[in-house]
Amino acid sequence: MKRTLLLTLFVIFASMVAHSQRTITGTVLDESQVPLPGATLVIKGTSNGVATDFDGNFEIEVTNGNEVLMVSYIGYVAQEVN
């Protein structure tokens, strides 16, 4: 009984955690619509971040969708994106 209850609670908790995260994907482009490989995206106020791939694409996990992404690239002014 105790083992079943513990397993049930674990499954419920795991499903809540899985549903509370969201993946944001996109591409970082310059003003000429050229992809920026190696651009950095960090969730404002955290140390969670990713870098874009060769084609400027990225994928980052967010928790509630209200985060602000800080986008930076060498030679460009950093921007905040909701």
Side-chain angles (χ1 to χ4, degrees), residues 1-54:
M1 175 71 176
K2 186 175 182 181
R3 183 175 176 177
T4 304
L5 178 61
L6 184 60
L7 181 60
T8 303
L9 290 175
F10 175 75
V11 170
I12 292 170
F13 178 73
S15 66
M16 287 173 42
V17 169
H19 291 291
S20 67
Q21 289 188 340
R22 222 170 80 180
T23 302
I24 304 282
T25 60
T27 305
V28 177
L29 306 170
D30 69 5
E31 61 277 352
S32 301
Q33 303 302 304
V34 175
L36 296 177
T40 305
L41 294 96
V42 177
I43 298 172
K44 187 174 182 177
T46 73
S47 60
N48 299 333
V50 296
T52 59
D53 65 11
F54 183 74

